[in-house]
Amino acid sequence: MVSNPSLDTQLDWTFKESDVRENTHCYHDYPARMIPQIARQLLELYSNGGLLFDPYCGTGTSLVESLIHGIDAVGTDINPLACLISRSKITMTDTLSLQTKITDFEEFVLKSNNNIPEKFTLPAFENLGFWFKPQVILKIGVILGFINQISDLAIRDFFKVALSETIRKSSNTRPGEFKLYRRASSDLAKFDPDVFKIMLITLYRNQKGLIKTMGMISNSRKSVIKVYDFNTMTNIPKNIIKPESVDIVITSPPYGDSHTTVAYGQYSRLSAEWLGLENPRSVDKISMGGKLPKNIIIFDFDPLDAAINSISNRDTKRAREVCGFYEDLESSVSNVASVIAHGGHACYVVANRKVKGNILPTDLAVRHFFESQGFTYVNTFNREIPNKRMPLRNSPTNVSGLLDETMSKEFIVVMKKK
């Protein structure tokens, strides 16, 4: 931790020229990823070297940074694909064994290019042929057959993560979209992905990231990093994280309900179905704002209540959706607050989205929710978003051609437990 925290106001939080895909951060794209430089700088500013907790860890940005810094950490996410990627990112696989298996796969691919088997077990999900071309289905099946024969669990997961990205890039989904939209017919006719090549490129890229990460880990202390799938909106198991045991929380919660912002379940569905992950369709239903409250909720916080009231005047159902999100966020904050030690910090990276022309003050709401749990306000750092993969413009009214700006700034809200 820096000796003079007042210097934090002079720091750059944009990281415009930084490599946000360095180390094992290069593994797999994912919606709204927190860039590693933010987690790194927050650790340097506010961590005392104790336990880090990320209650919405996604693909493990803060966990990788904890690993590099020699800090113990716990992350949780309700998305099984995110948990798979996170665990693979923080697992320092034996490089010699990994290289041997990649070489085996490369030789396997050379043979498979000329001899793709006609029969193998297909994943049992609807519309497989709608989302993948026949030759793509065959080749993904061949790769999956190779992976399932890998005995080393860490190496098998390493290959699964690469395959998940390959599935995404080889599917008939529109490039650049997180929700499931099929390519236009004219584009689809020309689309001919080289599945084996994509897989090999991804494997070698991830291998380089792994080797670089292993070279950065301090030999003096090996941190313990664990990934779970419990939902912090419901509870935080005491056998996993004891009350008041966390030194610092570094996290980036969803920016809104999955219906109108990022549908993590939709994004993950095709990979989850192929890889046999649990409940790929339920992620969006159990995420923040997944359930619609019956009535408008009063939060006793004027900036938020005023925005919701303005939305309600135009669209009551939309206002209830917003209420559902903040009700879940408040519940999660309450549970997270209970595991932070006195003197510990909570660092939340959020954005203020616009609904029906109203900017929702998520940064102020997070501050209010933590203050209600006995925390004091430390600072809010404003950050332009040059790299984060989020839609900068969308159609908030669902009227074709009518676009509006969404989230181009982030707010890093820092709170401290008394």
Side-chain angles (χ1 to χ4, degrees):
M1 186 166 66
V2 296
S3 58
N4 185 5
S6 64
L7 294 176
D8 56 17
T9 58
Q10 304 172 21
L11 296 173
D12 170 46
W13 290 93
T14 303
F15 305 109
K16 189 173 183 180
E17 305 301 325
S18 299
D19 180 6
V20 301
R21 302 302 294 265
E22 60 189 0
N23 307 321
T24 55
H25 298 299
C26 70
Y27 290 18
H28 213 295
D29 200 8
Y30 197 71
R33 293 167 55 252
M34 177 171 60
I35 65 172
Q37 288 78 10
I38 293 178
R40 191 175 306 155
Q41 194 150 276
L42 288 169
L43 279 173
E44 292 168 356
L45 284 170
Y46 301 112
S47 174
N48 287 312
L51 181 66
L52 176 142
F53 176 41
D54 188 341
Y56 333 99
C57 72
T59 55
T61 297
S62 62
L63 306 184
V64 173
E65 290 303 307
S66 294
L67 180 70
I68 292 171
H69 284 75
I71 295 172
D72 293 344
V74 172
T76 186
D77 202 282
I78 60 174
N79 188 342
L81 179 63
C83 291
L84 171 66
I85 299 168
S86 289
R87 290 191 182 103
S88 186
K89 280 184 176 182
I90 61 172
T91 301
M92 299 298 100
T93 307
D94 178 72
T95 54
L96 181 59
S97 299
L98 178 61
Q99 180 58 62
T100 299
K101 192 55 64 176
I102 292 176
T103 301
D104 290 346
F105 177 73
E106 195 160 11
E107 294 173 354
F108 173 79
V109 162
L110 291 174
K111 296 177 182 178
S112 298
N113 261 321
N114 299 316
N115 186 27
I116 299 174
E118 294 182 1
K119 294 182 179 180
F120 55 84
T121 303
L122 291 173
F125 67 88
E126 298 175 3
N127 300 323
L128 180 62
F130 181 81
W131 294 113
F132 299 93
K133 292 191 170 184
Q135 283 295 99
V136 171
I137 294 172
L138 285 170
K139 292 182 179 181
I140 293 175
V142 168
I143 295 172
L144 191 56
F146 178 90
I147 292 173
N148 288 338
Q149 294 177 12
I150 298 174
S151 58
D152 186 301
L153 179 59
I155 295 178
R156 192 191 311 161
D157 284 349
F158 182 92
F159 270 75
K160 282 184 177 180
V161 169
L163 178 57
S164 173
E165 189 168 351
T166 301
I167 289 168
R168 183 79 187 178
K169 291 179 178 178
S170 302
S171 71
N172 296 339
T173 55
R174 286 187 216 161
E177 291 278 3
F178 290 131
K179 292 188 177 182
L180 285 177
Y181 294 110
R182 198 168 185 250
R183 290 171 181 260
S185 298
S186 57
D187 184 23
L188 197 57
K190 299 177 290 184
F191 182 56
D192 185 24
D194 189 333
V195 180
F196 292 147
K197 183 178 180 180
I198 294 170
M199 181 70 178
L200 280 168
I201 289 173
T202 306
L203 284 170
Y204 279 115
R205 183 204 65 196
N206 291 358
Q207 182 190 34
K208 288 180 180 179
L210 173 66
I211 292 171
K212 187 175 180 182
T213 301
M214 293 178 73
M216 297 185 68
I217 296 174
S218 171
N219 293 325
S220 59
R221 189 190 189 286
K222 186 176 181 180
S223 56
V224 177
I225 316 288
K226 295 184 178 180
V227 179
Y228 297 92
D229 61 358
F230 59 83
N231 191 335
T232 60
M233 295 187 306
T234 305
N235 75 316
I236 298 176
K238 293 181 180 179
N239 63 320
I240 295 176
I241 304 180
K242 296 179 181 179
E244 300 185 353
S245 64
V246 171
D247 170 51
I248 188 168
V249 169
I250 298 178
T251 195
S252 183
Y255 292 165
D257 60 277
S258 61
H259 302 293
T260 58
T261 50
V262 177
Y264 293 96
Q266 275 196 52
Y267 172 81
S268 306
R269 179 194 156 199
L270 299 182
S271 292
E273 297 275 18
W274 271 106
L275 297 175
L277 302 178
E278 295 180 5
N279 301 319
R281 293 173 182 266
S282 67
V283 171
D284 295 327
K285 293 180 181 179
I286 62 174
S287 63
M288 290 185 184
K291 293 183 179 180
L292 186 66
K294 295 181 179 180
N295 301 300
I296 300 296
I297 298 170
I298 305 300
F299 291 92
D300 293 323
F301 180 56
D302 289 343
L304 182 57
D305 289 334
I308 291 172
N309 183 63
S310 181
I311 296 168
S312 180
N313 290 335
R314 298 182 61 183
D315 188 333
T316 302
K317 181 175 182 294
R318 193 69 192 89
R320 287 162 56 205
E321 290 172 345
V322 170
C323 287
F325 170 77
Y326 285 103
E327 181 181 38
D328 289 342
L329 178 59
E330 183 176 27
S331 177
S332 177
V333 165
S334 175
N335 289 327
V336 171
S338 69
V339 301
I340 299 176
H342 294 283
H345 290 85
C347 308
Y348 272 53
V349 183
V350 301
N352 294 348
R353 64 189 176 123
K354 186 183 289 187
V355 175
K356 298 295 180 181
N358 297 274
I359 297 176
L360 292 166
T362 303
D363 61 323
L364 300 179
V366 166
R367 174 180 173 176
H368 171 72
F369 294 156
F370 271 105
E371 286 177 336
S372 299
Q373 298 297 322
F375 282 65
T376 58
Y377 174 69
V378 176
N379 212 336
T380 297
F381 304 108
N382 297 340
R383 174 178 184 269
E384 299 292 331
I385 308 178
N387 297 317
K388 197 161 189 174
R389 280 199 63 190
M390 287 289 295
L392 296 181
R393 295 173 68 82
N394 70 355
S395 180
T397 58
N398 293 321
V399 176
S400 178
L402 184 58
L403 300 178
D404 198 0
E405 292 184 0
T406 54
M407 294 164 281
S408 60
K409 293 183 179 180
E410 286 178 326
F411 302 90
I412 305 167
V413 182
V414 181
M415 308 294 296
K416 184 176 183 179
K417 194 167 186 177
K418 297 177 183 178

